[in-house]
Amino acid sequence: IEAAKRLYNMAQERNFELGNDKNFTQGRPTAHVIAAALYTICRLEKTPHLLIDFSDILQINLYVLGACYLKFVKHLHLDLPLVDPSLFIHRFCAKMEFGEKTHLVSVTALRLLQRMKRDWMTYGRRPNSLCGSAILIAARYHGFKRTTTQIVNAVHTSDETIRKRLDEFKK
C-alpha cells in the first residue's frame, strides 16, 4: 500500500516537474489511478493478482481500467517485468474444485507451463489463457472431466483462446 501511495504521488508530481499545469490524476477517477498504482506494485512484486481482480472489485470496465493502467505506466516511464503465468496456477486450480488432487493437478499444470516456456509459447500471451490450457490438460490427465466452459469461467478468458493455446501446444 505504501509503495502504491508513493507511485500515486509520483504521478501527481511528475507533470509539475515538467512545467505542465495539469497532473496525471486530474480528469481521471481517483479509484482508477489508485487501482493502476496498486496493480503496478503487484506486477513489480510478482504477486498473483490480475487487473481483472481490480476491475471486479471496483465494478468498472476492464478495458477502461487497462487504458488508465497503461497510461499510468507510460507516464511514469516504468519498465515492468513480464507476468509469470505460474503465479496463477494454484489460484485457478482452487477454483476448479479438484478436491484432494488439487496439488497434484497444480504440479502437472506447472510442469506443462514450464514446457510452454521452453517452447516460447508464453511470450506475448496473457497468463489466463496459458493457465487455462495447462489446467485443462492436467485435469484430463488426472481423470477429471472438465469442459472448456468450466475452465473459461475460472480463468476469465474465452473458449476460443483456450482452443488456440491447446492447438499451439499440440504443434
Side-chain angles (χ1 to χ4, degrees):
I1 291 172
E2 291 299 318
K5 188 176 178 183
R6 284 192 298 275
L7 278 181
Y8 181 85
N9 290 335
M10 282 175 54
Q12 279 185 317
E13 295 169 3
R14 179 135 175 87
N15 277 349
F16 292 121
E17 292 171 2
L18 299 174
N20 297 336
D21 293 337
K22 188 176 174 187
N23 68 41
F24 180 79
T25 58
Q26 288 178 333
R28 288 186 174 81
T30 306
H32 294 195
V33 181
I34 291 171
L38 285 168
Y39 180 65
T40 302
I41 295 302
C42 289
R43 287 278 302 269
L44 289 170
E45 293 186 3
K46 298 182 179 179
T47 64
H49 295 93
L50 295 167
L51 194 59
I52 197 168
D53 299 330
F54 292 96
S55 73
D56 285 346
I57 290 169
L58 295 173
Q59 295 295 306
I60 57 174
N61 186 312
L62 174 64
Y63 296 104
V64 171
L65 185 57
C68 181
Y69 162 72
L70 290 174
K71 289 175 187 172
F72 182 80
V73 170
K74 186 176 180 180
H75 179 73
L76 294 177
H77 303 289
L78 297 174
D79 188 26
L80 297 177
L82 294 174
V83 176
D84 183 12
S86 60
L87 293 172
F88 306 104
I89 288 290
H90 293 291
R91 173 183 164 181
F92 292 142
C93 282
K95 285 184 179 180
M96 296 298 299
E97 300 174 0
F98 293 120
E100 296 174 359
K101 291 190 175 184
T102 300
H103 181 70
L104 194 59
V105 173
S106 298
V107 170
T108 304
L110 285 169
R111 291 182 65 213
L112 288 165
L113 271 176
Q114 288 174 348
R115 181 71 236 178
M116 290 177 185
K117 283 181 188 178
R118 284 194 298 271
D119 292 337
W120 293 78
M121 276 184 62
T122 59
Y123 295 95
R125 306 289 191 280
R126 292 187 180 173
N128 305 39
S129 60
L130 295 165
C131 290
S133 60
I135 291 170
L136 182 62
I137 294 169
R140 290 183 178 168
Y141 179 80
H142 291 288
F144 292 99
K145 299 196 183 330
R146 297 293 191 259
T147 64
T148 52
T149 306
Q150 291 171 310
I151 298 291
V152 163
N153 291 335
V155 300
H156 303 289
T157 191
S158 70
D159 57 346
E160 183 62 30
T161 307
I162 297 286
R163 282 192 206 103
K164 284 181 184 179
R165 296 302 155 259
L166 291 171
D167 288 342
E168 289 172 359
F169 189 64
K170 185 168 72 173
K171 289 178 184 172

